[in-house]
Amino acid sequence: MTVRSRLKRGFYRHGPDYRFDDQVDFNDIRDTFGFRTMVVGKWVNKEERFISANLIYDALADLAQILQLPPSAIGLRGKLNFAFGHGGQQNVQAHYNSRTRTLALAKNAGGGALAHEWFHAFDHHIAGLVFPEHPKSYFASKLWLEHTLVPSHPLNLALNQFYQGVFLEPSGKNANHYVQQCIAYDKHHGQYYMSMPEELAARCFEACIAHNEQIINHFLVSDISGSGLIYPDSDTLITCNKALNNYFSQLGQLLFAHRL
């Protein structure tokens, strides 16, 4: 019996039609979403290239639509590289390499992790803008816990509200239940992963995307309820989603106005 790959089995999606059944390729993805480079692994055959290009294009278009951003903004001012079926890590479905600024998806296991990894890229990218005096390898989520983000611009204020929602109780004084759960989980399992600031923030972003009612894309973000990971409770999610919508809607308005 032939076992169909995860890629060929397909992913549930409900959202706008951007391609009108046209076939896109990876160059279209690079140009539309403003990536610096686009690399496809040599083990991705022709059929898989066609299938994956459409899936990735629709997922990134959905992400831009949800965030109210111009599609070209997804590439983070042309600094983000994208790799599919190339340069991955063993037993990892997707990862973001901050050293090379590369978002990499595994050929058969990468579907569902795109939103999470894109936020890692954004978190790294924005750190250089709001915390410019710190090393370029750092993530804004981690730096936020250690340094004050000066709300000199409405965007900074909205971003500050998001990170505060991820990590702190409404009073702004103590770690919230989400963080406490993740710390306890890591302590119990003798690890440091679930409670890493950048992972806490990425899972929160991922959950916000997953709970969008108008657009559902399981290649962008899979069903988080059965993942075995810890995600924010409903109150934290509402707070963070409001802050994210505020931040990205303002950013989108600025970018559309300047045609960036």
Side-chain angles (χ1 to χ4, degrees):
M1 181 178 68
T2 302
V3 179
R4 297 177 69 195
S5 71
R6 180 69 185 93
L7 191 65
K8 295 179 182 179
R9 290 201 302 270
F11 294 81
Y12 177 77
R13 178 179 180 272
H14 173 78
D17 188 351
Y18 309 106
R19 296 181 292 104
F20 301 100
D21 293 327
D22 284 349
Q23 174 65 54
V24 296
D25 60 26
F26 282 89
N27 288 334
D28 294 322
I29 296 171
R30 180 196 62 204
D31 297 342
T32 300
F33 300 103
F35 291 105
R36 182 183 180 189
T37 63
M38 178 68 61
V39 179
V40 182
K42 63 181 180 180
W43 300 113
V44 182
N45 64 39
K46 185 176 181 179
E47 181 186 11
E48 291 167 338
R49 287 177 74 102
F50 286 154
I51 295 171
S52 57
N54 288 342
L55 287 169
I56 293 168
Y57 188 99
D58 287 345
L60 293 173
D62 283 341
L63 181 61
Q65 185 82 354
I66 292 170
L67 298 180
Q68 303 176 66
L69 293 176
S72 59
I74 296 298
L76 304 176
R77 292 184 175 270
K79 295 181 179 179
L80 182 58
N81 302 294
F82 196 103
F84 180 75
H86 178 275
Q89 298 178 355
Q90 188 173 7
N91 300 321
V92 175
Q93 65 178 140
H95 77 282
Y96 171 70
N97 186 325
S98 60
R99 183 178 60 83
T100 62
R101 295 181 182 268
T102 300
L103 192 167
L105 294 183
K107 182 178 75 170
N108 288 314
L114 187 51
H116 183 102
E117 298 305 327
W118 184 85
F119 185 81
H120 279 320
F122 168 81
D123 196 21
H124 179 225
H125 170 75
I126 204 66
L129 300 177
V130 297
F131 297 108
E133 68 278 13
H134 295 282
K136 294 182 179 180
S137 60
Y138 281 42
F139 292 85
S141 50
K142 177 177 174 60
L143 291 171
W144 186 89
L145 288 170
E146 302 169 352
H147 306 278
T148 301
L149 197 166
V150 180
S152 56
H153 190 280
L155 281 174
N156 285 5
L157 179 60
L159 189 63
N160 189 69
Q161 290 171 339
F162 170 71
Y163 287 128
Q164 180 169 322
V166 172
F167 300 119
L168 302 178
E169 293 179 338
S171 66
K173 295 181 179 179
N174 301 308
N176 60 25
H177 180 63
Y178 172 47
V179 173
Q180 292 178 28
Q181 270 190 305
C182 293
I183 291 173
Y185 181 94
D186 278 350
K187 184 177 181 180
H188 178 75
H189 289 85
Q191 65 177 29
Y192 179 52
Y193 172 76
M194 198 74 72
S195 60
M196 292 174 67
E198 57 267 39
E199 293 300 332
L200 287 161
R203 289 198 308 277
C204 187
F205 176 84
E206 180 185 359
C208 289
I209 299 300
H211 282 81
N212 186 279
E213 296 180 352
Q214 282 72 45
I215 297 176
I216 302 170
N217 187 317
H218 286 178
F219 192 86
L220 178 61
V221 54
S222 56
D223 181 14
I224 63 175
S225 61
S227 68
L229 300 174
I230 299 173
Y231 288 89
D233 56 59
S234 58
D235 288 341
T236 299
L237 193 59
I238 290 171
T239 298
C240 291
N241 200 31
K242 182 179 179 180
L244 275 179
N245 288 337
N246 186 20
Y247 176 84
F248 282 108
S249 64
Q250 289 186 65
L251 178 61
Q253 289 173 17
L254 290 171
L255 294 177
F256 277 118
H258 290 85
R259 299 182 182 277
L260 294 179

